[in-house]
């Protein structure tokens, strides 16, 4: 709980909120009306007046009724962790795809909360409709009419956004197929927000991705070519960071982006080694990966920021606690040679053994084999080149007509 509240403070600051205090309560059960108990509500009301607060942020998602009741009781704006994260995503989305995904998540979140926005109009209506009694055609008030109009608009907007994102999803799928035909393996960077994914991408590929000490600095996926010392190349993709209690609306809206992870040849999980709750953060990321269907993909853990450890010698001891891990500093390049070697080794293990006789008319396939595969034997026959070795799985079908 303490770690979650610290994280909530950082989220609030990222959204431009000045945080001046926090409160917590242990409960046997959640209060269905106000989430917290009546005594805590009264305590917060006094604090809100004494400190002249304008917003109170709850660390869990509130139901629409809980949010409405709390605002009436406390007399200030009340938002929850989900609304805060959605606000941050809206601020940081740079591409059209990112904006579409965030807008969809926001509308899905807001739809059941529309009654709050028009409650003041509903109260102005006389007759049975205003009191919740039976209403008729002549008794519908402006609040109800506006609410229905608003709901219809949002339903239509959600349907439109889903269609647009389906186009994005199909386009990404076609792009992945073209990529596979080129024989380029894909390594997806994942990790808790602010773990250093963008810094690592910049260091390894000389990219110029924004890398700051802020939560969710990267929302839109960025892909760059990564060259190994031996000349082989892979595509390295930076994706949105994960966090505790990641809103389900976001996971659903970012499906097209997250599919990049679920279809990667290798997941490179970046973790902040110096964070006191690094194990919990690693588990959070692994849980999200399972939710998006990427839990079984090959994975390598990179324990980042060893340059910030007070006792650097502990880095290797911590790396040994994970099944497949390496300790690095993305900022200063420490451990990156070991990291690249491990990536190359894991990708090599996925290669498929192939023997083919490629006709001279299709000699570009021989060049493709040399560029992306491992050639073990090669000789020239009367009709073509006999080549044997290992290829990335996505390239094998290109050689199908010539396999021996």
């Amino acid at each position: 709980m303490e770690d979650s509240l610290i994280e909530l403070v950082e989220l609030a600051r990222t959204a431009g909120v000045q945080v001046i205090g926090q409160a917590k309560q242990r409960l046997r059960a959640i209060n269905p009306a106000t989430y917290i108990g009546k005594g805590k509500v009264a305590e917060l009301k006094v604090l809100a007046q004494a400190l002249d607060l304008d917003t109170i942020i709850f660390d869990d998602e509130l139901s629409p009724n809980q949010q409405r009741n709390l605002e009436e009781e406390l007399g200030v704006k009340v938002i929850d962790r989900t609304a805060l994260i959605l606000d941050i995503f809206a601020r940081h989305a740079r591409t059209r795809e990112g904006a579409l995904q965030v807008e969809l998540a926001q509308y899905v979140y807001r739809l059941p909360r529309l009654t709050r926005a028009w409650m003041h109009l509903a109260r102005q209506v006389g007759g049975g409709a205003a009191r919740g009694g039976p209403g008729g055609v002549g008794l519908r008030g402006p609040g109800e009419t506006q609410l229905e109009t608003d709901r219809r608009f949002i339903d239509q907007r959600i349907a439109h956004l889903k269609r647009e994102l389906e186009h994005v999803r199909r386009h990404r799928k076609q792009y992945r197929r073209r990529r596979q035909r080129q024989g380029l393996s894909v390594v997806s960077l994942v990790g808790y927000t602010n773990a250093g994914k963008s810094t690592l991408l910049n260091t390894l590929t000389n990219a110029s991705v924004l890398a700051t000490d802020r939560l969710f600095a990267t929302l839109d996926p960025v892909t760059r070519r990564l060259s190994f010392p031996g000349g082989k190349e892979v595509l390295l993709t930076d994706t949105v960071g994960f966090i505790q209690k990641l809103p389900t609306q976001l996971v659903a809206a970012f499906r097209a982006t997250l599919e990049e992870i679920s279809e990667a040849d290798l997941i490179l999980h970046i973790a902040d080694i110096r964070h006191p709750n690094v194990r919990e953060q690693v588990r959070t990321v692994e849980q999200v990966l399972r939710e998006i269907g990427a839990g079984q993909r090959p994975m390598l853990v990179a324990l980042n920021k060893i340059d910030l450890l007070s006792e650097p010698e502990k880095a290797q001891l911590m790396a040994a606690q994970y099944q497949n891990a390496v300790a690095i500093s993305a900022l200063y390049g420490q451990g990156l040679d070991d990291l690249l070697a491990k990536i190359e080794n894991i990708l090599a293990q996925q290669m498929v053994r192939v023997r083919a006789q490629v006709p001279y008319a299709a000699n570009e396939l021989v060049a493709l084999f040399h560029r992306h595969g491992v050639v073990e034997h090669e000789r020239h026959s009367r009709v073509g080149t006999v080549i044997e070795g290992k290829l990335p799985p996505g390239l094998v079908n290109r050689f199908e007509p010539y396999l021996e």
Side-chain angles (χ1 to χ4, degrees):
M1 181 178 65
E2 291 291 343
D3 184 48
S4 189
L5 282 175
I6 291 171
E7 195 170 78
L8 187 68
V9 169
E10 288 302 312
L11 287 167
R13 287 174 178 161
T14 300
V17 175
Q18 181 186 0
V19 180
I20 62 173
Q22 58 181 261
K24 51 197 174 189
Q25 182 181 31
R26 294 185 181 276
L27 287 171
R28 291 183 181 275
I30 298 299
N31 187 324
T34 56
Y35 189 81
I36 53 177
K38 292 182 179 179
K40 182 60 71 171
V41 172
E43 179 187 323
L44 285 180
K45 185 174 183 178
V46 172
L47 280 173
Q49 293 171 348
L51 299 174
D52 193 25
L53 304 181
D54 53 26
T55 306
I56 293 178
I57 306 171
F58 278 72
D59 194 35
D60 283 311
E61 186 167 324
L62 300 171
S63 71
N65 284 338
Q66 289 168 343
Q67 192 171 0
R68 181 181 67 247
N69 294 338
L70 283 165
E71 287 190 340
E72 289 179 351
E73 290 281 346
L74 300 174
V76 298
K77 181 180 179 181
V78 173
I79 65 173
D80 57 22
R81 185 184 181 97
T82 297
L84 182 61
I85 292 175
L86 289 174
D87 180 79
I88 294 169
F89 271 56
R91 288 167 179 251
H92 290 181
R94 296 288 180 266
T95 65
R96 178 175 175 273
E97 178 187 346
L100 286 172
Q101 291 173 127
V102 174
E103 186 181 356
L104 175 59
Q106 286 179 316
Y107 276 133
V108 171
Y109 173 79
R110 289 172 180 169
L111 185 59
R113 292 165 171 79
L114 276 181
T115 50
R116 288 178 55 248
W118 299 103
M119 190 58 66
H120 66 290
L121 290 177
R123 289 200 195 96
Q124 295 172 10
V125 184
R131 295 189 295 271
V137 173
L139 295 178
R140 289 181 187 267
E144 184 179 1
T145 302
Q146 182 61 61
L147 182 59
E148 289 175 347
T149 302
D150 238 34
R151 279 180 173 155
R152 186 161 53 250
F153 166 79
I154 290 183
D155 280 334
Q156 291 170 350
R157 187 63 183 162
I158 287 175
H160 170 74
L161 290 168
K162 285 182 175 179
R163 287 194 297 270
E164 289 289 303
L165 286 171
E166 187 57 33
H167 290 314
V168 171
R169 186 166 174 250
R170 285 200 294 267
H171 176 74
R172 282 191 175 278
K173 194 169 186 178
Q174 291 171 355
Y175 172 68
R176 284 195 295 270
R177 284 176 179 168
R178 289 198 302 270
R179 201 167 59 196
Q180 286 175 347
R181 286 182 61 83
Q182 294 171 355
L184 288 172
S185 297
V186 178
V187 178
S188 278
L189 293 170
V190 304
Y192 212 79
T193 182
N194 206 30
K197 300 184 303 300
S198 297
T199 301
L200 182 61
L201 181 73
N202 289 338
T203 302
L204 290 176
T205 66
N206 295 316
S208 55
V209 178
L210 175 66
T212 64
D213 190 22
R214 296 183 72 98
L215 303 181
F216 298 117
T218 302
L219 287 191
D220 304 304
V222 179
T223 301
R224 296 289 184 269
R225 284 180 183 255
L226 168 62
S227 298
F228 292 105
K232 293 287 190 296
E233 288 186 335
V234 299
L235 293 179
L236 194 60
T237 301
D238 187 14
T239 56
V240 62
F242 299 150
I243 199 169
Q244 289 184 61
K245 307 171 188 173
L246 189 67
T248 54
Q249 299 94 332
L250 277 176
V251 175
F254 275 71
R255 183 175 63 142
T257 298
L258 296 176
E259 280 181 352
E260 291 288 315
I261 301 173
S262 62
E263 296 195 15
D265 298 286
L266 172 65
I267 293 175
L268 183 54
H269 180 174
I270 315 303
D272 183 349
I273 195 172
R274 57 76 195 256
H275 197 283
N277 291 312
V278 61
R279 286 184 174 277
E280 287 77 7
Q281 291 186 351
V282 167
R283 280 196 287 267
T284 295
V285 172
E286 290 174 346
Q287 176 60 35
V288 176
L289 290 174
R290 285 192 291 271
E291 290 173 4
I292 64 174
Q296 300 302 316
R297 305 304 296 171
M299 183 186 297
L300 173 63
V301 178
L303 296 170
N304 189 28
K305 305 187 183 182
I306 60 174
D307 54 288
L308 298 178
L309 289 177
S310 56
E311 301 177 72
E313 63 275 6
K314 287 188 176 180
Q316 297 305 324
L317 293 175
M318 294 181 69
Q321 297 174 17
Y322 294 87
Q323 185 175 1
N324 192 15
V326 57
I328 67 166
S329 168
L331 186 60
Y332 294 104
Q334 295 170 256
L336 295 191
D337 288 343
D338 189 20
L339 176 68
L340 290 175
K342 285 182 179 292
I343 292 174
E344 200 166 15
N345 183 51
I346 293 171
L347 293 176
Q349 291 174 14
Q350 299 176 27
M351 287 187 173
V352 178
R353 183 168 292 281
V354 167
R355 177 184 168 88
Q357 179 164 280
V358 181
Y360 291 122
N363 214 37
E364 73 278 359
L365 289 179
V366 175
L368 188 69
F369 205 126
H370 278 273
R371 191 162 60 248
H372 298 295
V374 177
V375 178
E376 296 174 346
H377 300 288
E378 182 179 3
R379 65 180 178 85
H380 299 287
S381 70
R382 183 174 56 83
V383 294
T385 303
V386 179
I387 191 166
E388 185 177 353
K390 296 179 180 178
L391 281 173
L395 273 187
V396 175
N397 63 335
R398 298 282 299 275
F399 291 80
E400 194 77 36
Y402 315 117
L403 294 181
E404 291 187 342

